[in-house]
Amino acid sequence: MTTRASIDAVTLLTAWRRAGLLTAEETPVVAEAMAATTRDAEPPLHLKILSGIGTFFATIFFAGFLAMADLISFKSGAGTLGWGVALLAAGIGLSFVLKGRSPGLGRDFLAQATFAAMAVGKVLCVAGAILIFGERTPWVATITLFLVTVATYPVSGASLDRVLSPYAVAASALFELMERGSGGEVTLSLTLFHAVATGLAGGLLLSHRRPDVLRPIGLAALGAMGTVVCILASGHDFGIWMSRRPIDPRPIEAMLTLSLVGTIVWAAGGVDRLARPPLAAAAVGAVLLGFAGAPGIVFALMLLVAGHALHDVPMRVVGILALPAFLVLWYYGRDMTFLEKSVTLVGSGALLLAARGWMRFAGWDREDAA
């Protein structure tokens, strides 16, 4: 049985020096790069979730404190906006202080305080803008969210903030499109919105040439795609409830199908790989799912393929959780009796088991099969 021994940075640099892999002039540069990597390391997913929950409660409690202490009047748009700008400025200032701080409890507390200040500032800025321009004025919240996101994104050290802020802009824009559109305009607007989100997600997540700082925007665009898919997968009635008019899902379903096929091709390494039987079967299966009117299932499979290819565990987990949820929604939305749905479920399961057996028999379940 082999044991894995830990090694500190000093010992590692010394070993490299003795082996002739590192010169005396290069050692300080490498040491600084290692220290910078440690400072800027991403926290685990569970800590990001806890940070988001903590910031949510901090935003509510701090806004309540400001109101109860009569420090701010939520009836005054200028006052609310002023407080929002002040808190944003404080958060930006704390972001500069945070850079260069050594890892530890003090740095974590400062990072959380920075995140909370920016979150409260953004909420107050949006509330102040709505009070000034009126609730019925279109695009006020979206434009304000866009401006505060542009102002804070370059200096924000929290990756969660860099995902949530662009997603808030997209969600606000989606609400405006569905709330204020009319007739077939809603379907067209939703299709264009999904096309833009698809382009951003594909360009910023699947391309190896994009700067790492833009990856959170790609994740936010992926979240916007998922929001549209949830609206479509929830059924005809939910779409009418959201926009008070029917939505034609076929253009977005076609776009999702092409996106899944494109993701499979990208993960396989090129269009020429489609000549191989396993990938050709996967592409045909994606097209058949598109004809079945199952946008949620197509989206979940796209998350699984992209997450596997990118070695992105959170994306794969989301795909794994989304797949059964969208399967339930798809079967629930079918206009069939319970007996017919039961027969369909049994038949689908038998078909999937038969396909799995054939993949095993043909050797398509190996990593090198594609």
Side-chain angles (χ1 to χ4, degrees), residues 233-244:
S234 298
H236 181 76
D237 296 335
F238 184 77
I240 292 179
W241 175 74
M242 281 291 293
S243 63
R244 295 190 294 277

Side-chain angles (χ1 to χ4, degrees), residues 143-170:
I143 293 173
T144 307
L145 281 170
F146 176 78
L147 292 176
V148 297
T149 299
V150 170
T152 58
Y153 190 92
V155 298
S156 177
S159 59
L160 187 61
D161 178 65
R162 287 183 167 179
V163 173
L164 293 179
S165 292
Y167 175 76
V169 177

Side-chain angles (χ1 to χ4, degrees), residues 261 264-280 369-370:
V261 173
I264 292 172
V265 170
W266 166 81
V271 181
D272 57 314
R273 296 294 185 93
L274 285 178
R276 301 188 178 187
L279 289 176

Side-chain angles (χ1 to χ4, degrees), residues 74-86:
F74 287 102
K75 296 181 180 179
S76 171
T80 305
L81 183 61
W83 269 95
V85 172

Side-chain angles (χ1 to χ4, degrees), residues 188-277:
L188 178 60
S189 300
L190 203 59
T191 303
L192 292 176
F193 177 89
H194 191 269
V196 173
T198 301
L200 285 174
L204 297 179
L205 293 179
L206 304 185
S207 174
H208 297 290
R209 296 182 179 180
R210 58 101 175 95
D212 289 338
V213 72
L214 297 180
R215 186 174 184 273
I217 299 178
L219 292 175
L222 192 65
M225 291 175 60
T227 305
V228 174
V229 170
C230 287
I231 294 173
L232 297 181
S234 298
H236 181 76
D237 296 335
F238 184 77
I240 292 179
W241 175 74
M242 281 291 293
S243 63
R244 295 190 294 277
R245 54 194 64 86
I247 299 172
D248 185 359
R250 289 174 296 181
I252 297 177
E253 288 174 355
M255 201 181 308
L256 282 167
T257 303
L258 291 176
S259 299
L260 177 56
V261 173
T263 304
I264 292 172
V265 170
W266 166 81
V271 181
D272 57 314
R273 296 294 185 93
L274 285 178
R276 301 188 178 187

Side-chain angles (χ1 to χ4, degrees), residues 67-153:
M68 294 296 295
D70 290 331
L71 294 175
I72 180 174
S73 173
F74 287 102
K75 296 181 180 179
S76 171
T80 305
L81 183 61
W83 269 95
V85 172
L87 286 171
L88 281 180
I92 292 173
L94 289 174
S95 297
F96 286 108
V97 176
L98 186 63
K99 292 181 179 180
R101 292 290 297 270
S102 301
L105 183 60
R107 186 179 188 275
D108 293 340
F109 179 81
L110 186 60
Q112 186 63 33
T114 304
F115 190 13
M118 286 190 176
V120 178
K122 291 173 184 178
V123 171
L124 293 180
C125 283
V126 173
I130 292 175
L131 288 172
I132 291 173
F133 294 99
E135 296 181 10
R136 298 186 179 276
T137 305
W139 298 99
V140 172
T142 305
I143 293 173
T144 307
L145 281 170
F146 176 78
L147 292 176
V148 297
T149 299
V150 170
T152 58
Y153 190 92

